[in-house]
Amino acid sequence: MALREEFLGFAGIGVNDDFSELGDHSLLGTQMVNRMRDGLSVTVSLRELLSHPTPAKLAAVVTAALAVPAAGADESP
């Protein structure tokens, strides 16, 4: 939620607050996707971000993305 608060410019966003209703647009979404990739090492597409507009809904997408090994990662011990 802190990431959304940062990009939208105000605090107090709840887990069920809809990003699109709070002023989202595709440029902000693209910046958020890039920040998640660079800062959290999680790949979420802009389409996934926009189709899961609340932090609660996006959490499931992020959790699933974190469960998938990175491309090229060696899975053997």
Side-chain angles (χ1 to χ4, degrees):
M1 288 183 297
L3 188 61
R4 288 181 184 228
E5 290 175 347
E6 175 185 340
F7 280 98
L8 291 171
F10 57 88
I13 295 175
V15 296
N16 294 310
D17 288 336
D18 190 306
F19 187 52
S20 60
E21 292 175 1
L22 296 173
D24 170 44
H25 52 78
S26 59
L27 180 57
L28 283 178
T30 299
Q31 292 172 345
M32 285 183 59
V33 166
N34 289 335
R35 180 72 64 86
M36 285 190 285
R37 183 193 64 232
D38 297 342
L40 303 174
S41 299
V42 62
T43 301
V44 174
S45 72
L46 179 59
R47 181 178 298 229
E48 289 171 315
L49 176 74
L50 297 177
S51 65
H52 298 85
T54 69
K57 291 177 181 177
L58 187 60
V61 175
V62 171
T63 300
L66 289 171
V68 176
D74 184 9
E75 296 180 23
S76 61

